[in-house]
Amino acid sequence: MRVAARVAVVLAAVVTLSVPAVAQAASPPGPVFADGQAQAVFDPADVVREDVWVTAPVDSDHDGQPDRVHAQVVRPKATELGMKVPVVYEASPYFAGGNDVANHDVDKELYVPGPHAAEPIEWAYQDYFTARGFAVVYGESLGTGLSTGCPTTGGANETIGARSVVDWLNGRAPAHDAAGTSVTAGWSTGKTGMMGVSYNGTLPNAVASTGVEGLETIVPIAAISSWYEYYRTDGAVVAAGGFQGEDTDVLADYVYTRADREICRPVIDQLTASQDRVTGDYGPYWDVRNYRNDVAKVRASVLAVHGLNDWNVKTDQVAQWYEALKAHGVEHKIWLHQAAHADPISLRRDVWLLTLNKWMSHYLYGIENGIEEEPKATIQREDKSWTDEADWPAPGTADASLHPWPGGGATGTLAGQQVPGNPAVESLADDASKTIEQLADAASSGNRLRYASSAATRALRLSGTAHADLRLSFDRPAANVTAVLLDRAPDGSSHVISRGWTDPQNRVSPAVTTPITPGQRYPIRVDLMPKDYVLAAGHRLEFVLASSDHDYTLRPRPGAGLSLDLTGTTVTLPVVGGKTALGEAFLR
């Protein structure tokens, strides 16, 4: 996350949105709206930029003083003449860059029970919003840049620090400038929208979960809703894609860019002690970093954006957050695209900006433009086309099941009926040195089991979360379990649709490690990452079972044995059209 997010910030600094400049008249114009959208009537070069330090009601560096959040304000010059504007607010730990830090070693056995100047901050959206009568505010997360306090990778202090800027904009928190003079935000209407990518999108989720007044909307892009699922999965230590060995302490150390390089060392050391890379269990440390716990407090509307191929911040982060928001009646909309860890401005610029403009105009200026009545879901398909749908997962989606039949050492069958009769058992031996792609594409292998459907007679769409219910035994008291869905094209090439992981010691609960007795068979469920995917006609759906996943899990020495009872195994798919559609694609 740290590198991808830093790249996103750097790109944001160099992307320019062309905005027509309109010279200001003697008396400044107010905002202008046409077709429900704010119009570019202000010169984005004619702005007031100021630095303030907002006092936050927390002392995370334990220096006896409240932490202070450095915020940089960029607002239309017209606000100096009495115009009040709402705010688009980006909070980030990345504005001051990052440190060179090492990740944790993942090639290991499994557990058996400097000063900175206040330089201008830039963003791809700054000119766009200031030209249309919004202020832009940047807030440096605690322990980063010119803010005090300590970074804690999703800890409560970071949420409080980011929230304090919203409080300041609404007159509820004090702030001062570099000279110590009190500064108020009299130019602000108090209405605030938070927005950002990656960590910068996670902080809006965090602040919204406090229910703070004045935060009217958030636009979390590629954002985390629970830090446990970012670094763990059902008790398994699982990496963010591309960052094997990163954990909360590593990320905190990376963003720890405040001038005092020693005061936060005890805080970061405590992260190392508390994050538990040994058992991987969910506990109080992770519970305070789970914003879904407080979804009932969310009063801001949410426009969520995520890449269907994002293996850094995986799709379970947006899917579970989005479902919880819907269940609690929060106004919502979602964009799902085919890229990875990306901002949609790089994918569909004009339509995205139109949507974003209408969204912010409605929720921050109160313009009745019907945005809340439009289809809730915008989805990019595999051919890069876009569709609007009533919501997501797609209406009409229902669970439908397939079952593996013998032959998994090469390629067994994935069929609509379960293997009858006595247990049919197939085995594999772990080898973490091989990637899932290598294992899946091998004609035969003793290190995985593979099962394939017949070629689809028509396209089959999956929308939501697949899961595998497995009957497994182990020859050792510790093992990883990895489940994968693949698309096998007629030419033999494969594409990973989704994958999931679990620690069988956490089969009862992510919070509890329960020992494994070698040789005893256990029911093990693996939830795969939520997806929206169309399997084309002529393609085969494959299910692959492995132990370790080279790119994501810890990598113990080879050899742990897993035995799968096919008579007790089911792969459940979220199929648009349910059992009927599955039958029409494969079973008839």
Side-chain angles (χ1 to χ4, degrees), residues 267 470 524:
V267 174
L470 312 170
I524 304 293

Side-chain angles (χ1 to χ4, degrees), residues 3-46:
V3 175
R6 179 173 56 160
V7 169
V9 170
V10 172
L11 289 176
V14 299
V15 174
T16 301
L17 302 179
S18 61
V19 179
V22 178
Q24 289 190 336
S27 82
V32 174
F33 299 88
D35 297 323
Q37 302 169 59
Q39 301 298 299
V41 296
F42 300 96
D43 182 352
D46 192 18

Side-chain angles (χ1 to χ4, degrees), residues 422-444:
N422 295 325
V425 178
E426 300 196 324
S427 300
L428 65 92
D430 188 20
D431 186 352
S433 70
K434 297 181 175 71
T435 68
I436 289 297
E437 290 79 4
Q438 289 171 331
L439 292 173
D441 287 343
S444 62

